[in-house]
């Protein structure tokens, strides 16, 4: 097999691989939203409730507070 | 899958960088060494030609004129043989341009003369009725920067092994040597010698006087460069 | 002092806003002069023949492109960063003296570099590479400015209260990283004083790459400078300002995730479409062409997400000039990201390359998408920074229609000009000889160049109206309460 053939195979399988990645990512996003294991859409509120006095959507807990 | 990324700025940044850097690696690197090899007949710029090239860049000629002939009949009919990668081996930077407000200049030396350029630069409409190019009258007054061109020659010789003072084979079987002076004085003198050849074909008395007095007006250097584009 | 509640601190955001408005007008004025020069060459001698060296098209062109990209847009991007960054991370610049100092240093070093750049370009000091014309001392200065911005980004992120990074922050980070990479590689150059100390200009340098390689690196840079200065930070703005102004949550956060990673992966490949039919290898050209077409998907992902955010709230488009600007910007983004890939198809590119069609494409993106989004963002921020309402709603509305008309005149005339010239270049007579000399193809463009200049002038007029409106907003408009600043921006008659 010459280099061009190898490149062609490489290109084909890489493209196929990327397609699989893309679709499984989409499936993952929408299925985990649907079964409730994760709520992505709540993060949109980061922009809507952005006064410094607003409660963060997910607060960072300081280490000393955890203890 | 990627959910944790949006909460970890460091890994997020790393992921973004990997994804964007990938394309450059695949597209640009593989051909790098090959594309910089000169074609048979390519030769480095002489001091005056390089001075003229700096004038060309200074006035942003590449903003309106390309130096890239595409492999179409309409282009080869109009401008000559299509461009080949090795022809650009000594071009730092490349001057392909991205817009043809005026015609391509890749091989302008084949069909325009010193006299034509002189008249055209003074008053473009005089030779090309309808031209929208401005007159470049200041080129006749400003003195060209030969020193910087010489510094550039020394730089490319040192860092990129550009073959100055070396016999180079030409396409027709002859040999050509492009000289590079040892000293700045030598470089100025050789640029002036070249300038005299160009000025001999020119009509502007002020330019002729300047060259006779040992100076190189920008127009002389620019024409030397344009005549060399073949 | 201790008793004052913590507030967001917009000191740096204000500084960048002033500069964005000022350079916006100045840079577009330069563009308008260029447009008139192409229609009527006498404009090259606008300050007299003796000054033509400094006012001719060649010199002014780089000043126009660099000032609108790096002056107007980049200042606006940074203004929004120092505003949006604090808000979506829920942390104030006032909380860190160090970040405040870095932010101010960022602005002032950037201003110093800008002044030197303008003077240098006016004198003809240029490396000739489009949008990267600066010689090595300036390139080094740009690195300093960029690092300072990076300190601000990662510094603010480091002390944030909100755990998850909002969509806009992703795009700012991408902008930061990509431009850093592009700038460093494209400006790899050797100062001539290393090999020849004391000979010629000390600031002169030689590119590390020659010929075809130089072209490849330059257009990898050139294309992606457009991507990461005129697209990703503008998307960052749209993901914040449109939801905030309309009070609507982003239509789909998941779609924004997909569009983001898609755009990141695909965009960088597409640079090759600037070099079709050149001497770069065929497979790279094809790759550039193919990926340019694929690029429609993630681009439209963002644009559709924007437009659908307005779902059920379309009455706001009629009611608010700000929403008008943003919806029109998203529409132009869709239009422009469809036009680009079409031009990247090889057979179309053979016709379009080197013609004014490309200029038209750049400007429907730059004026329609970038310009409108920036105008909306600045109008949204000003009342919140200065605690005053927008001085005049009707002025803003009039500006919108004048500028929209300007953009339409601009791109339609450039389409016709580009396709006309492309067709004339390739036309042959019955014997196979070229049908037209080059000058024939220039003379025929005169009416289109004139229309374009009129369109550009209209856009500039709108920009001047905007500057006046903003000046009045900052100085003498009605003072508003915090409670009026929730979503829709308060505006005077």
């Amino acid at each position: 097999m010459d280099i061009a053939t190898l490149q062609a195979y490489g290109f084909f399988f890489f493209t196929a691989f990327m397609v699989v990645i893309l679709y499984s990512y989409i499936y993952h996003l929408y299925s985990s939203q649907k079964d409730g294991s994760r709520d992505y859409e709540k993060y949109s509120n980061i922009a809507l409730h952005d006064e410094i006095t607003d409660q963060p959507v997910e607060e960072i807990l300081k280490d000393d507070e955890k203890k | 899958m990627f959910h944790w990324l949006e909460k970890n700025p460091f890994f997020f940044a790393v992921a973004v960088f990997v994804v964007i850097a990938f394309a450059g690696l695949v597209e640009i690197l593989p051909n790098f060494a090959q594309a910089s090899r000169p074609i048979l007949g390519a030769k480095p710029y002489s001091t005056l030609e390089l001075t003229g090239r700096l004038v060309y860049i200074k006035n942003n000629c590449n903003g309106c004129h390309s130096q890239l002939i595409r492999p179409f009949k309409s282009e080869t009919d109009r401008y000559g043989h299509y461009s080949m990668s090795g022809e650009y081996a000594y071009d730092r930077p490349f001057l392909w341009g991205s817009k043809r407000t005026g015609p391509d200049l890749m091989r302008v030396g084949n069909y325009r003369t010193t006299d034509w350029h002189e008249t055209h630069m003074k008053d473009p409409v005089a030779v090309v009725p309808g031209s929208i190019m401005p007159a470049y009258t200041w080129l006749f007054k400003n003195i060209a920067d030969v020193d910087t061109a010489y510094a550039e020659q020394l730089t490319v010789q040192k860092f990129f092994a550009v073959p100055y003072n070396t016999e180079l084979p030409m396409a027709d079987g002859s040999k050509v040597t492009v000289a590079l002076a040892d000293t700045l004085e030598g470089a100025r003198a050789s640029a002036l010698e070249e300038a005299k050849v160009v000025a001999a074909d020119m009509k502007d008395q002020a330019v002729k006087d300047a060259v006779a007095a040992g100076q190189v007006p920008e127009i002389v250097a620019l024409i030397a460069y344009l005549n060399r584009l073949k | 002092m201790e008793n004052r509640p913590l507030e967001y601190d917009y000191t740096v955001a204000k500084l960048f806003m002033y500069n964005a408005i000022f350079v916006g007008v100045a840079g577009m004025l330069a563009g308008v002069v260029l447009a008139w020069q192409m229609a009527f060459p006498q404009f090259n001698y606008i300050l007299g023949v003796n000054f033509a060296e400094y006012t001719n098209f060649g010199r002014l062109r780089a000043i126009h492109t660099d000032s609108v990209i790096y002056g107007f847009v980049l200042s606006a991007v940074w203004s929004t960063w120092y505003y949006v960054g604090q808000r979506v991370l829920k942390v104030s610049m006032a909380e860190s003296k160090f970040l405040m100092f870095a932010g101010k240093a960022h602005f002032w070093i950037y201003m110093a570099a800008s002044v030197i750049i303008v003077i240098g370009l006016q004198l003809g000091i240029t490396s000739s590479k489009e949008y990267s014309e600066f010689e090595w001392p300036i390139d080094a200065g740009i690195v300093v400015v960029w690092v300072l911005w990076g300190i601000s980004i990662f510094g603010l992120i480091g002390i944030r209260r909100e755990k998850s990074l909002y969509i806009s922050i992703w795009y700012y980070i991408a902008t930061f990283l990509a431009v850093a990479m592009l700038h460093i590689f494209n400006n790899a150059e050797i100062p001539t004083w290393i090999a020849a100390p004391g000979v010629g200009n000390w600031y002169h340098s030689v590119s590390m790459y020659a010929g075809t390689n130089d072209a490849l690196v330059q257009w990898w840079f050139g294309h992606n400078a457009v991507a990461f200065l005129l697209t990703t930070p503008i998307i960052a703005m749209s993901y914040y300002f449109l939801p905030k102004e309309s009070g609507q949550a982003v239509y789909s956060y998941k779609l924004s995730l997909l569009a983001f990673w898609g755009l990141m992966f695909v965009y960088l490949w597409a640079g090759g479409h600037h070099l079709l039919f050149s001497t770069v290898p065929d497979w790279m050209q094809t790759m550039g062409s193919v990926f340019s077409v694929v690029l429609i998907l993630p681009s439209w992902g963002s644009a559709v997400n924007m437009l659908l955010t307005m779902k059920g709230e379309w009455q706001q488009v009629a009611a608010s000039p700000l929403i008008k600007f943003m919806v029109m910007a998203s529409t132009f983004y869709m239009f422009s990201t469809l036009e680009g890939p079409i031009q990247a198809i090889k057979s179309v590119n053979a016709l379009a390359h080197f013609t004014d069609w490309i200029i038209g494409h750049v400007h429907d993106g730059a004026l329609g998408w970038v310009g409108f989004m920036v105008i909306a963002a600045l109008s949204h921020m000003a009342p919140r920074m200065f605690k005053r309402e927008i001085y005049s709603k009707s002025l803003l509305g009039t500006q919108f229609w004048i500028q929209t008309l300007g953009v339409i005149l601009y791109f339609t005339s450039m389409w016709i000009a580009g396709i006309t010239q492309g067709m004339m270049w390739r036309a042959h007579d019955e014997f196979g000889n070229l049908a037209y000399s080059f000058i024939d193809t220039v003379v025929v463009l005169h009416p289109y160049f004139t229309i374009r200049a009129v369109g550009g002038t209209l856009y500039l007029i709108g920009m001047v109206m905007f500057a006046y409106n903003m000046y009045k907003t900052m100085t003498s408009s009605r003072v508003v309460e915090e409670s009026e600043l929730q979503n829709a921006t308060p505006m005077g008659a």
Side-chain angles (χ1 to χ4, degrees), chain B residues 91-94 152 156 160, chain C residues 129 186-190 205-210 214:
Chain B
D91 280 14
R92 292 170 195 268
F94 79 113
E152 191 171 320
V156 294
F160 307 117
Chain C
K129 292 188 173 184
N186 192 39
N187 290 294
E189 56 209 356
I190 298 178
S205 61
V206 184
S207 174
M208 287 278 279
Y209 321 108
D214 202 30

Side-chain angles (χ1 to χ4, degrees), chain C residues 278-320:
Chain C
S278 75
T279 61
V280 309
D282 228 24
W283 67 270
M284 286 186 204
Q285 300 182 20
T286 307
M287 203 79 127
S289 201
V290 169
F291 272 96
S292 301
V293 176
V294 178
L295 197 50
I296 297 177
L297 287 173
S299 305
W300 279 42
S302 287
V304 165
N305 213 354
M306 285 300 100
L307 294 176
L308 287 179
T309 297
M310 294 308 296
K311 200 173 68 172
E313 287 290 323
W314 289 102
Q315 79 282 359
Q316 288 198 27
V317 178
S320 162

